[in-house]
Structures are given as C-alpha cells and as structure tokens.
C-alpha cells in the first residue's frame, strides 16, 4: 500500500512538472543570430519553478544532434500574467548551423546561426514600399488617384489645381504626408549611403520586375524625391498633405477609391499647404506654430538626393541641391513645428519638435557646401534638443517627437571636429542610456514607451545604437541593441515577428490592417506593423476592436497589448515610414554576409 502511495505521489509530481513544462514559452529570434552576437532567448513561465538553472535547457544542433549548454541564465521580472521569466544566454555558440532550444519539455522554433542569416532581408521592406506607391502601382498593375489635387486652406490659391500625383500612401488608408514621406526618402538614401554594395537591382524605376542598372532602393528613393519636388511646385510654396480622414469612409483597393471631397467621386483630393498656424477642416484643428519641421525635411531629402544622384543623373542632382538650399533658408526663417491636418476626427501627427529637423538640414548643407556657417547652425540647433524627448519617457503624443531617429546628432558626432564630435557622442549616448536604464531590468531589455507606432521607436533605437557603437567602439549598449532587434523578430511576449513575411517561415502578422490583405488576400510583404501599445491607447481609439478571437490572449496584460487582427489598427497596421526606416539596420546586418565572402 505504501509503495502504491509513493508511486501515485511520484506520478502526480511528474504530471505537475509536465503541466508546468508544457506551458513554458521559449522566444527566439526567428531570423537568426550572427556568429559574434550576444545570443539570448527568453523563457516565459506561467508558474514559478524553483532552482531554475542552465541545466534545465540545452541547444541541439539539428544536423549533428550535438548538445550544447547555455552560458548562463538570468531570472528577471516577469511579464504579467507570467509568474516567472528568464533570459537564456548562449553567446559562446558561434558555429553556423540550425539549432533548437529545448528545456522543460518545450522546444523553440529553429534557431539559425551564421553571418549570412540576414542576407536578402534588406530588400524585403522595398516590396511594401512598391505596394504603397500612389499613381502607378506596380504591385497592382493599376493606377490610382490620377487627379490630385485641389489646394485648400491656401488663401488666394484656394481651389487651384496642382499636380501632386505620385508618392506613397501612408498606411492602409490612402492619405499622403510630407512629414512621413520625406523621412522615408531620407532613411532609404541613408541606408544606401551606409552600405551601397548590399542592394539588389531587380526592379526598374516604375517598380516593374526588370533591372535597370540602378539599385532598387535608389529607384524607390527617387520615386519619393520626384513626389517631393511636386509638393514644392515653386520656391515659395511647400505642400504638406494630400487627402484627409474622409478617406476612411471606405476600404477599397487604391484604384477603386471613390471618396468625394467635393469635386466628384474619385476625382481630385484636397492638398494642404505647410502652414505656421493651427488649421483643419470640419471643426478639428492641429497646433501648428511654424514651417521649420516640414520645410527642413524637404531640405534634408533634397540634400541627400543631390549627393546620391550626383553621378547617376547630374542635372537632377543639381536641381535637388538648389532646392535644398532654398528650403533651408525658408525653414530657418520660420521656426516652429508644422503638423498634419485633421478633419472629421481629432487625429493627426502631433509633431512638436523642429530643431532636430533644422539640425539635420544644416549639417547636410555643410556636407555639400563646406561653409562653416552651416556647421555652426547645426550645432546651435542640436544643443537645443540634446536628447530626443521620447528617449527615457513613459509616453508621448502620436508622433510628438519625430523623426524618432536623430540623424543630425549622428552626423555631428562624425564631423571631423573633435570638440563637436565629443559633445554629440555624449548626447547620443545620453539618449541610449535613458532607454537602457528604463529597460535593463525587464526580461526583454525593452525600455521603449509603448505608444502608437512603438515599433518605429524600436527601429530608431536599434539604428542609433548601431551608429553609436560603430563610431565610438563603445559596446556598453550592445545587449540592448541586440535585444531590440530580436524583439522585432520574435523575442517578445507574443513570439511575433513584426515585419510581414519576414522570415518567410516565421510567425509574422497574417491579418494586418490592410485593405490589400482584407479584400484581396494580397500579402503586404515587408510592412512593419505599428507594434504593441499601452492598453489604455488600444481601449480609447475610435473604431479599434477585435473581429476574431485573440489567439495571443494568454500573453496580454493590463498594461500592454498586441493583436494580429485586422480591426486593431493601433497595433497591426503596417506604415510606410516605419517600413522605410528598417532599411538602414537591415542593410547593416545584411552586409555581414558580404564581408565573409
């Protein structure tokens, strides 16, 4: 009888351990780890496990069945509703190959290790950018919004036609903003300049699948530059936005957009100018106070375009440089932030800062003219905002501190002036330190505020950390940098990769907030979704809900949520500017494959 009792107790003990083990969730980077990476997985456990050690886990080489131990394990604060979480370190495992992490009767997705794991990833965001093209859309083999547009809120120019066809749709809706489009163009030009040899040439300038002797990322950047020139029809007129939230009345394919803005169904859309005063239609107004944030973005995009296209198309480059200089002077003369225009709802891009835009425009003017007055200007503007305010903050308004990545600081930190370089390296470091301090104790090493478009902030942090490490050889933030990269590719509470289609066999968004996917089952490959938000944001936005059962319900908490659901536009909508911003860091990672050839 006693023997039977002990047998029963033993069975119950094993059964309980099995229940616990089967509910251990292992999160790994589903693209993979470079050979010299800090390699970390995260274990999430709904029940506490006493005396958890490295011996409870192992990595198995899938080809050879060879077993490797973890280097160390760090018990961390748990992600609600989990009772226990741990960071699992295996950095010493550097042999290229495919592995699985096992432990407590659970196993991870395949873990790829090798310097070629990111080869080709840099091209994936460009698929989404081509899908977002307005005018002729190569992905749909159709044209849309061919009648744009009619000037509004433009004084004596009200009602006049202006040709602003082209550019990119901002997200699943078909609005177009100078703010995000100029930043997207700048980011892609920087991505090319950072690693010019890593980019493919498989598409032509119209986005058709035919090579044309020019890197595809430059074809896409030029598409943006051409549109920016249309949005700057003369040296005194700078345009800020096409269409408004009346667009949201219907969800259709771009060519089927029949919204009537007052000039007939599917006809001209309203075009808003850059303005230095609060404006809007239908009772909602922004809080614009100047022109600098928008017009300086024109200047920076034109400057970089002039540099990149100088040998490809000298005439085009010359005009870009001229426009850049004119725009810089106008931006400098009109300080303040220029926001996008609301209409039927109170939502708009609430950009408050502008000195960062003038800082970047000034240092790029210095780079092209070598006139020291521009360097002095850049330093003066940079000192007015030494750290981008979102860094270390708990929250912010929508796009309040934009762009999220201060490229001007990075360029000043390498301007061949020792004193200035030291000052701005300190500024860059200070921003990184604030995010580091905010996230160092949580299991995902994530100090990002979960505001709307938190993934865009994550990409900005990765990019800034990479640049800082490259130019200073200071590696103190490398674990945070790598953790944020891994966060985007599966090391997060939901085990979710945040770029549609990347990796192809990963757990990426399959029900994004996209008319292309929702209506025609067209995958928006390459699109970076907004990412997790504070629950109070999800709960307060108009029209946000879930249309399907939440398959990640067991990982949601009372503070932060993410849903792979079409009806949650706050977390699962791909954005054009966020997607473009991924090209810099993906280009850097992909370059590792070239270096080993």
């Amino acid at each position: 009888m006693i023997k039977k009792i002990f047998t029963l107790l033993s069975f119950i003990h094993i059964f309980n351990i099995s229940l616990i083990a089967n509910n251990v969730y292992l999160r790994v980077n589903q693209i993979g780890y470079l050979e010299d990476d800090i390699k970390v997985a995260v274990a999430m456990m709904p029940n506490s496990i006493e005396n958890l050690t490295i011996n409870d886990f192992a990595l198995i080489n899938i080809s050879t069945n060879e077993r490797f131990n973890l280097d160390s394990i760090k018990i961390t604060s748990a992600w609600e509703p989990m009772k226990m979480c741990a960071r699992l370190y295996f950095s010493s495992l550097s042999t290229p190959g495919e592995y699985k992490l096992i432990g407590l009767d659970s196993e991870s997705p395949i873990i790829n290790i090798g310097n070629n794991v990111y080869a080709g990833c840099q091209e994936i965001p460009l698929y989404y950018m081509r899908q977002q093209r307005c005018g002729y859309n190569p992905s749909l083999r159709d044209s849309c919004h061919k009648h744009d547009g009619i000037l509004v809120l433009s004084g004596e120019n009200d009602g006049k036609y202006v040709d602003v066809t082209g550019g990119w749709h901002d997200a699943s809706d078909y609005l177009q903003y100078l703010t995000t489009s100029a930043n997207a163009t700048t980011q892609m030009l920087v991505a090319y300049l950072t690693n010019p040899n890593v980019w493919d040439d498989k598409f032509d300038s119209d986005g058709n699948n035919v090579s044309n002797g020019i890197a595809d990322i430059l074809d896409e950047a030029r598409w943006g530059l051409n549109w920016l020139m249309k949005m700057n029809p003369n040296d005194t007129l700078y345009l800020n936005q096409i269409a408004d939230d009346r667009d949201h009345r219907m969800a259709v394919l771009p060519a089927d957009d029949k919204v009537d803005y007052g000039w007939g169904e599917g006809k001209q859309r309203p075009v808003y100018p850059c303005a230095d005063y609060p404006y809007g239609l239908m009772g909602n107004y922004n809080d614009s106070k100047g022109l600098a944030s928008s017009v300086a973005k024109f200047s920076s995009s034109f400057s970089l375009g002039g540099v990149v296209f100088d040998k490809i198309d000298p005439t085009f480059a010359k005009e870009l440089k001229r426009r850049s200089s004119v725009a810089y002077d106008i931006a400098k003369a009109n300080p303040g932030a220029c926001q996008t225009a609301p209409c039927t709802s109170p939502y708009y891009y609430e950009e408050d800062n502008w000195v960062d835009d003038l800082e970047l425009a000034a240092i790029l003017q210095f780079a092209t003219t070598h006139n020291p007055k521009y360097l002095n200007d850049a330093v003066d503007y940079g000192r007015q905002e030494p750290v981008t305010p979102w860094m270390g903050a708990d929250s912010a308004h929508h796009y309040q501190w934009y762009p999220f990545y201060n490229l001007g600081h990075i360029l000043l930190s390498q301007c061949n002036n020792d004193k200035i370089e030291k000052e701005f390296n300190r500024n860059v470091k200070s921003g990184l330190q604030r995010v580091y301090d905010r996230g160092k104790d949580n299991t995902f090493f994530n100090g990002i505020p979960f505001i709307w478009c938190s993934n865009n902030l994550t990409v900005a942090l990765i990019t800034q950390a990479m640049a800082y490490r490259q130019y200073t050889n200071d590696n103190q933030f490398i674990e945070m940098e790598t953790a944020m990269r891994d966060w985007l590719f599966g090391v997060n509470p939901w085990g979710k990769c945040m770029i549609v289609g990347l990796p192809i066999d990963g757990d990426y968004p399959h029900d994004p907030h996209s008319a292309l996917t929702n209506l025609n089952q067209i995958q928006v490959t390459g699109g970076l979704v907004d990412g997790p938000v504070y629950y109070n944001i999800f709960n307060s936005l108009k029209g946000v809900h879930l249309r399907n059962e939440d398959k990640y319900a067991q990982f949601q908490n009372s503070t932060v949520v993410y849903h792979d659901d079409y009806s949650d536009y706050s977390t699962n909508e791909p954005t054009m500017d966020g997607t473009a911003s991924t090209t810099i860091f993906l280009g850097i990672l992909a370059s590792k494959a070239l270096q080993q050839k």
Side-chain angles (χ1 to χ4, degrees):
M1 181 68 177
I2 293 176
K3 183 176 180 180
K4 288 183 178 180
I5 291 173
F6 275 115
T7 301
L8 178 61
L9 290 174
S10 176
F11 173 77
I12 291 172
H13 175 72
I14 293 171
F15 180 69
N16 284 338
I17 291 292
S18 178
L19 276 180
I20 292 172
N22 285 332
N23 283 305
V24 172
Y25 304 99
L26 299 175
R27 304 307 194 209
V28 301
N29 182 323
Q30 293 173 36
I31 292 181
Y33 301 83
L34 300 172
E35 293 168 27
D36 61 353
D37 268 344
I38 291 179
K39 303 178 187 70
V40 182
V42 166
M44 300 168 56
M45 293 151 278
N47 299 287
S48 296
I49 298 175
E50 292 186 8
N51 303 318
L52 190 71
T53 72
I54 61 173
N55 296 323
D56 291 306
F57 301 94
L59 289 115
I60 307 297
N61 185 303
I62 294 174
S63 297
T64 66
N65 213 34
E66 190 175 0
R67 182 185 180 96
F68 299 88
N69 294 327
L70 295 178
D71 298 331
S72 61
I73 185 170
K74 179 182 179 182
I75 308 298
T76 64
S77 58
W79 174 271
E80 179 202 338
M82 299 294 142
K83 293 292 190 295
M84 186 175 183
C85 290
R87 290 177 66 78
L88 313 178
Y89 292 83
F90 55 102
S91 303
S92 64
L93 181 55
S94 59
T95 304
E98 291 186 335
Y99 300 82
K100 277 202 174 182
L101 174 65
I102 63 171
L104 303 175
D105 290 342
S106 297
E107 67 176 38
S108 72
I110 291 175
I111 296 173
N112 295 293
I113 295 178
N115 285 340
N116 65 344
V117 294
Y118 289 92
C121 290
Q122 76 283 4
E123 301 294 332
I124 303 303
L126 300 181
Y127 284 86
Y128 182 71
M129 298 303 291
R130 286 186 285 267
Q131 282 186 322
Q132 291 300 105
R133 284 192 181 190
C134 189
Y136 176 67
N137 188 301
S139 298
L140 301 174
R141 297 283 191 254
D142 204 349
S143 294
C144 63
H145 304 114
K146 296 177 285 187
H147 307 291
D148 291 337
I150 298 293
L151 291 171
V152 297
L153 299 179
S154 299
E156 63 183 18
N157 290 321
D158 257 15
K160 290 185 178 179
Y161 171 78
V162 58
D163 177 11
V164 288
T165 55
W168 302 287
H169 303 132
D170 196 54
S172 182
D173 55 45
Y174 302 132
L175 280 70
Q176 295 176 256
Y177 301 108
L178 172 279
T179 303
T180 51
S181 296
N183 184 48
T185 302
T186 294
Q187 298 265 1
M188 288 188 289
L189 290 168
V190 171
Y192 175 80
L193 288 169
T194 302
N195 283 288
N197 297 322
V198 80
W199 303 98
D200 290 344
D201 170 26
K202 295 181 180 178
F203 294 84
D204 64 15
S205 60
D206 288 328
N208 298 311
N209 197 1
V210 180
S211 63
N212 64 345
I214 297 174
D216 295 333
I217 195 169
L218 293 188
D219 287 324
E220 209 56 38
R222 183 159 185 168
W223 184 264
L225 288 167
N226 287 338
W227 182 76
L228 291 175
M229 293 175 77
K230 288 185 173 185
M231 295 289 281
N232 173 211
N234 61 58
D235 285 351
T236 60
L237 182 57
Y238 294 86
L239 305 176
N240 206 40
Q241 176 176 323
I242 303 175
D244 53 47
D245 58 21
R246 285 174 284 181
D247 164 278
H248 300 168
R249 292 172 180 169
M250 58 179 66
V252 295
L253 293 180
D256 298 327
D257 187 0
K258 302 299 182 184
V259 175
D260 187 345
Y261 290 93
W263 303 288
E265 288 188 356
K267 298 298 183 181
Q268 295 90 343
R269 298 187 297 171
V271 183
Y272 293 81
C274 296
D276 59 1
Y277 54 87
Y279 71 111
L281 292 175
M282 301 190 179
N284 291 297
Y285 297 89
N286 63 22
D287 193 29
S288 291
K289 293 184 174 68
L291 302 178
S293 63
S294 287
V295 179
K297 288 183 177 72
F298 276 106
S299 180
S300 296
S301 297
F302 290 155
S303 281
L304 283 168
V307 171
V308 170
F309 287 95
D310 194 43
K311 293 183 179 179
I312 299 171
D313 187 340
T315 302
F316 179 60
K318 183 179 179 180
E319 176 61 12
L320 289 173
K321 292 175 184 177
R322 187 196 69 79
R323 289 183 183 231
S324 174
S325 178
V326 173
Y328 177 78
D329 290 340
I330 291 176
K332 183 177 179 180
N334 294 273
C338 177
Q339 299 177 339
T340 61
C343 187
T344 64
S345 66
Y347 301 145
Y348 56 94
Y349 289 155
E350 302 174 65
E351 187 173 8
D352 272 346
N353 57 341
W354 52 273
V355 292
D356 57 332
D357 296 298
L358 271 169
E359 174 190 359
L360 176 58
I363 191 60
L364 290 172
Q365 288 296 309
F366 173 68
T368 55
T369 68
H370 307 293
N371 187 330
K373 76 174 185 178
Y374 293 117
L375 178 60
N376 293 334
D377 283 355
V379 171
D380 288 344
Y381 289 123
R383 285 173 176 165
Q384 293 180 54
E385 190 177 275
V387 174
T388 302
W390 72 260
M391 303 186 83
D394 292 327
S395 191
H397 297 303
H398 189 42
Y399 277 56
Q400 184 176 7
W401 313 117
Y402 189 78
F404 305 118
Y405 170 48
N406 191 328
L407 178 59
H409 272 20
I410 297 298
L411 296 180
L412 281 169
S413 73
Q414 47 176 302
C415 68
N416 295 319
N417 179 305
D418 287 344
K419 184 178 179 181
I420 294 173
E421 287 186 355
K422 288 178 181 178
E423 176 182 352
F424 281 88
N425 269 319
R426 285 196 303 271
N427 291 342
V428 174
K429 180 179 179 179
S430 180
L432 295 171
Q433 187 71 54
R434 293 183 188 188
V435 183
Y436 179 97
D437 289 341
R438 192 168 181 272
K440 63 183 178 181
D441 296 324
N442 74 57
T443 198
F444 297 103
F445 220 121
N446 191 332
I448 297 289
F450 292 109
I451 59 175
W452 199 355
C453 295
S454 65
N455 278 345
N456 295 15
L457 275 64
T458 302
V459 173
L461 181 69
I462 297 167
T463 308
Q464 183 160 311
M466 281 182 160
Y468 174 79
R469 177 167 54 87
Q470 177 183 352
Y471 294 119
T472 65
N473 293 316
D474 181 353
N475 290 323
Q476 65 177 297
F477 301 114
I478 194 168
E479 183 172 355
M480 176 181 70
E481 171 196 322
T482 307
M484 291 297 87
R485 178 204 70 188
D486 295 347
W487 170 276
L488 292 179
F489 299 124
V491 187
N492 56 59
W494 310 273
K496 199 72 174 179
C497 301
M498 295 292 175
I499 297 179
V500 178
L502 189 62
I504 192 169
D505 55 352
D507 182 8
Y508 55 78
H510 284 82
D511 191 21
H513 185 80
S514 165
L516 296 180
T517 301
N518 187 51
L519 298 176
N520 285 66
Q521 290 72 56
I522 299 172
Q523 180 171 287
V524 285
T525 300
L528 175 75
V529 296
D530 289 333
V533 298
Y534 293 122
Y535 176 76
N536 61 0
I537 293 177
F538 166 76
N539 199 42
S540 65
L541 289 172
K542 292 183 178 181
V544 168
H545 62 283
L546 299 183
R547 68 176 182 181
N548 298 308
E549 183 179 351
D550 181 9
K551 62 182 178 180
Y552 296 103
Q554 70 266 42
F555 308 118
Q556 314 291 10
N557 68 29
S558 60
T559 304
V560 181
V561 296
Y562 165 81
H563 307 101
D564 186 3
D565 190 295
Y566 170 79
S567 294
D568 182 7
Y569 66 79
S570 68
T571 71
N572 212 40
E573 181 174 17
T575 62
M576 174 272 301
D577 65 311
T579 298
S581 71
T582 67
T583 58
I584 299 177
F585 89 88
L586 288 175
I588 293 170
L589 293 171
S591 70
K592 298 292 185 181
L594 293 179
Q595 292 172 15
Q596 69 178 8
K597 289 182 178 179

